[in-house]
Coordinates of all heavy atoms in Angstrom, one line a residue:
V119 N 50.1 13.5 -13.0 CA 49.3 12.3 -13.3 C 50.2 11.3 -14.0 O 50.1 10.1 -13.6 CB 48.1 12.6 -14.3 CG1 47.4 11.4 -14.7 CG2 47.1 13.6 -13.6
F156 N 46.2 -2.8 -25.2 CA 45.3 -3.7 -25.9 C 46.2 -4.7 -26.7 O 46.6 -4.4 -27.8 CB 44.4 -2.9 -26.8 CG 43.4 -2.1 -26.1 CD1 43.7 -0.8 -25.7 CD2 42.1 -2.6 -25.7 CE1 42.8 0.0 -25.0 CE2 41.2 -1.8 -25.0 CZ 41.6 -0.5 -24.6
D157 N 46.3 -5.9 -26.1 CA 47.1 -6.9 -26.7 C 46.2 -7.9 -27.4 O 45.6 -8.8 -26.8 CB 48.0 -7.6 -25.7 CG 49.0 -8.6 -26.3 OD1 48.9 -8.8 -27.5 OD2 49.8 -9.1 -25.5
T163 N 42.3 -12.8 -19.7 CA 41.2 -11.9 -19.6 C 41.5 -10.9 -18.5 O 41.8 -11.2 -17.4 CB 39.9 -12.7 -19.2 OG1 39.7 -13.7 -20.2 CG2 38.7 -11.8 -19.1
D169 N 33.1 -9.8 -18.2 CA 32.6 -10.7 -17.1 C 32.3 -12.1 -17.7 O 32.8 -12.5 -18.7 CB 31.4 -10.1 -16.5 CG 30.2 -9.8 -17.5 OD1 30.3 -10.4 -18.6 OD2 29.3 -9.1 -17.1
S191 N 39.7 -13.9 -38.0 CA 40.9 -13.8 -37.1 C 40.6 -12.7 -36.1 O 41.5 -12.0 -35.7 CB 42.1 -13.4 -38.0 OG 41.9 -12.2 -38.7
S205 N 52.9 6.7 -20.6 CA 53.3 7.6 -21.7 C 53.7 6.8 -22.9 O 54.1 7.3 -24.0 CB 54.4 8.5 -21.3 OG 55.5 7.8 -20.9
D242 N 32.5 5.8 -37.7 CA 33.2 6.9 -37.0 C 33.8 7.8 -38.0 O 34.1 7.4 -39.2 CB 34.4 6.2 -36.1 CG 34.8 7.2 -35.1 OD1 34.1 8.1 -34.7 OD2 36.0 7.0 -34.6
G274 N 29.6 -10.4 -56.3 CA 28.8 -11.3 -57.2 C 27.6 -11.8 -56.4 O 27.2 -12.9 -56.8
S278 N 24.6 -7.3 -50.3 CA 26.0 -6.7 -50.3 C 26.4 -6.3 -48.9 O 27.3 -5.6 -48.7 CB 26.0 -5.5 -51.2 OG 25.0 -4.5 -50.7
L347 N 44.9 18.9 -24.7 CA 44.0 18.3 -23.6 C 43.4 19.4 -22.8 O 44.1 20.3 -22.3 CB 44.9 17.4 -22.7 CG 44.2 16.6 -21.6 CD1 43.1 15.7 -22.3 CD2 45.2 15.8 -20.8
H396 N 35.0 43.0 -7.4 CA 33.9 43.5 -6.5 C 32.6 42.7 -6.5 O 31.7 43.1 -5.9 CB 33.6 45.0 -6.9 CG 34.7 45.9 -6.6 ND1 35.1 46.2 -5.3 CD2 35.6 46.6 -7.4 CE1 36.1 47.1 -5.4 NE2 36.4 47.3 -6.6
Q407 N 29.3 33.7 5.9 CA 28.5 34.7 6.6 C 27.2 34.9 5.8 O 26.1 35.1 6.4 CB 29.2 36.0 6.8 CG 28.3 37.0 7.6 CD 29.1 38.3 8.0 OE1 30.3 38.2 8.0 NE2 28.4 39.4 8.3
P431 N 3.3 21.0 -10.8 CA 4.1 19.9 -10.2 C 5.0 19.2 -11.2 O 4.6 19.0 -12.3 CB 3.1 19.0 -9.5 CG 1.9 19.8 -9.4 CD 1.9 20.8 -10.5
N474 N 23.4 18.9 6.3 CA 24.1 18.4 7.5 C 24.3 19.4 8.6 O 24.9 19.2 9.6 CB 25.4 17.7 7.2 CG 25.3 16.5 6.3 OD1 24.4 15.7 6.5 ND2 26.1 16.4 5.3
E475 N 23.8 20.7 8.4 CA 24.0 21.7 9.3 C 22.9 21.9 10.3 O 21.8 21.5 10.0 CB 24.2 23.1 8.5 CG 25.5 23.1 7.7 CD 25.6 24.4 6.9 OE1 24.6 25.2 6.9 OE2 26.6 24.6 6.2
G486 N 17.1 26.4 8.9 CA 16.1 27.5 8.7 C 14.7 27.0 8.6 O 14.4 25.9 8.4
P503 N 22.3 18.4 -3.9 CA 21.6 19.3 -4.8 C 22.3 19.3 -6.1 O 23.5 19.1 -6.2 CB 21.7 20.6 -4.1 CG 22.9 20.5 -3.2 CD 22.9 19.1 -2.8
N605 N 59.2 34.1 4.2 CA 58.0 34.9 3.9 C 57.0 34.9 5.0 O 56.3 35.9 5.3 CB 57.3 34.3 2.6 CG 58.1 34.6 1.3 OD1 59.0 35.5 1.3 ND2 57.9 33.8 0.3
F631 N 39.5 47.9 6.7 CA 39.3 47.7 8.1 C 38.5 48.8 8.7 O 38.9 50.0 8.6 CB 40.7 47.5 8.8 CG 40.6 47.4 10.3 CD1 39.8 46.4 10.9 CD2 41.2 48.3 11.1 CE1 39.7 46.4 12.3 CE2 41.2 48.2 12.5 CZ 40.4 47.3 13.1

Side-chain angles (χ1 to χ4, degrees):
V119 175
F156 293 89
D157 188 352
T163 301
D169 59 13
S191 58
S205 60
D242 200 22
S278 59
L347 185 60
H396 293 290
Q407 181 172 340
N474 295 318
E475 295 177 352
N605 289 338
F631 171 58

